[in-house]
Amino acid sequence: MKIIVTIKQVPDTTEVKLDPVTGTLIREGVPSIMNPDDKAGLEAALQLRDKIPGSTVTALSMGPAQASVMMREALAMGADRAILLCDRAFAGSDTLATSSSIAAAIRTLEFDLVVTGRQAIDGDTAQVGPQIAEHLHIPNVSYAAEIVPEFGSLKVKRMFDDRYQWQRVKTPCLLTALSELAQPRYLAPGAVFRAWREKEVETWNVSNIEIDPGYLGLAGSPTKVKKSFPKAVKPAGCVVAAENGEAADIIMKKLREHFII
Ligand SMILES: Cc1cc2nc3c(=O)[nH]c(=O)nc-3n(C[C@H](O)[C@H](O)[C@H](O)COP(=O)(O)OP(=O)(O)OC[C@H]3O[C@@H](n4cnc5c(N)ncnc54)[C@H](O)[C@@H]3O)c2cc1C
């Protein structure tokens, strides 16, 4: 099975700070990590590869040159290949331009399974995975919490708010991984050493993929962030002790006091 895992480098924080003037993310001083859902997806892909003889895992990312450090981590975890799409032409991509570029790269590779994370902890849209599946015209099972390989298909445990569902999907297909999908392995120092000394991160630019330039980067992005700002801090609420039957009256009184009703 040829497996491609998309991995994104994200700031190591869920409390992203914004520049009050420009409204853009402040990345300085914030260490970067592999997006947690992607790391779980990569681990699950490596475990699948080990179960199915002849399988390979390729890690694929689109990002600046500094993302090559994360690609080395993917190699240290055990990925057979690491490809970084790195070109100024990709800068300013919204989710559609991102998914178009990644799908174009995937089209140049052989694949049976594409694994993306459910969601990146910085952009947080959860759009890129399903969009890649649409571009490639393959089925997509999102929120994957467990994968069981079967002949020519996969059984996938899909998480809903209140339940799980088992779905069977034929390959080629795309899965979006939850962090619960697999516990990423501990990196042995020898594996890290070999990833830096003996393995290569392949850097691709726009000439390595076939894509209409109109779908690339800022120019190919139909959505633009107009303004970003932190949420206003909510004032503390008040707790009212109420006997049985009193609560509704108290709430109605408060709503009237504040001219809400
Ligand atoms: C309306 C809008 C406008 C934007 N405008 C800009 C802009 O002008 N300039 C700018 O720099 N950014 C912009 N962004 C952010 C940028 O588009 C996103 O970071 C990027 O498209 C990925 O989306 P996401 O982070 O929400 O990923 P999600 O959809 O949450 O990610 C799901 C999964 O897709 C995969 N994935 C996502 N991105 C990558 C990647 N780069 N490489 C490999 N795998 C990936 C990962 O497996 C990830 O877990 C914009 C976002 C939005 C929503």
Side-chain angles (χ1 to χ4, degrees):
M1 180 178 279
K2 308 270 183 252
I3 311 173
I4 298 175
V5 187
T6 62
I7 57 176
K8 183 182 180 192
Q9 195 182 42
V10 293
D12 184 11
T13 176
T14 47
E15 288 172 28
V16 172
K17 292 199 173 55
L18 298 169
D19 183 316
V21 180
T22 61
T24 54
L25 291 183
I26 301 173
R27 293 184 187 270
E28 288 76 34
V30 183
S32 296
I33 53 166
M34 190 186 305
N35 184 52
D37 286 351
D38 305 356
K39 204 167 181 177
L42 178 57
E43 177 62 43
L46 294 168
Q47 291 177 14
L48 268 182
R49 178 196 63 186
D50 295 344
K51 279 186 201 150
I52 308 170
S55 299
T56 58
V57 173
T58 299
L60 174 65
S61 188
M62 182 178 115
Q66 67 177 50
S68 65
V69 175
M70 173 194 67
M71 304 310 282
R72 297 270 176 197
E73 188 185 349
L75 290 169
M77 281 176 73
D80 300 286
R81 240 179 125 179
I83 301 172
L84 176 62
L85 292 176
C86 187
D87 196 309
R88 289 195 69 79
F90 301 125
S93 296
D94 69 359
T95 58
L96 186 64
T98 301
S99 61
S100 303
S101 306
I102 292 176
I106 292 174
R107 264 189 225 107
T108 69
L109 302 163
E110 273 182 75
F111 68 94
D112 302 293
L113 173 63
V114 179
V115 181
T116 73
R118 176 213 24 194
Q119 190 164 347
I121 59 171
D122 56 350
D124 254 348
T125 66
Q127 292 174 2
V128 172
Q131 286 178 359
I132 294 172
E134 281 295 311
H135 295 310
L136 297 174
H137 305 294
I138 55 173
N140 159 41
V141 180
S142 52
Y143 299 88
E146 198 177 330
I147 309 172
V148 180
E150 294 186 332
F151 187 74
S153 67
L154 296 169
K155 229 169 71 174
V156 184
K157 188 173 165 188
R158 185 167 187 258
M159 193 169 88
F160 288 82
D161 275 350
D162 56 348
R163 64 193 188 284
Y164 290 98
Q165 186 182 60
W166 280 103
Q167 295 193 351
R168 184 168 286 121
V169 60
K170 282 190 183 157
T171 55
C173 64
L174 182 144
L175 308 179
T176 77
L178 297 173
S179 292
E180 293 85 332
L181 180 60
Q183 175 67 40
R185 63 195 59 194
Y186 172 76
L187 284 186
V192 177
F193 186 81
R194 281 192 297 280
W196 282 88
R197 282 291 174 90
E198 296 167 17
K199 297 188 177 176
E200 285 302 324
V201 175
E202 298 168 47
T203 305
W204 285 12
N205 58 33
V206 78
S207 68
N208 292 94
I209 61 175
E210 259 184 46
I211 187 168
D212 179 333
Y215 290 112
L216 281 175
L218 200 56
S221 297
T223 48
K224 304 272 180 288
V225 176
K226 235 178 143 186
K227 188 179 174 194
S228 301
F229 48 94
K231 280 201 223 163
V233 180
K234 276 192 187 167
C238 72
V239 178
V240 179
E243 296 294 330
N244 280 350
E246 283 178 1
D249 288 339
I250 294 171
I251 292 170
M252 292 298 280
K253 191 165 165 241
K254 287 274 173 207
L255 292 174
R256 283 199 193 96
E257 272 173 24
H258 290 88
F259 304 104
I260 295 171
I261 55 171

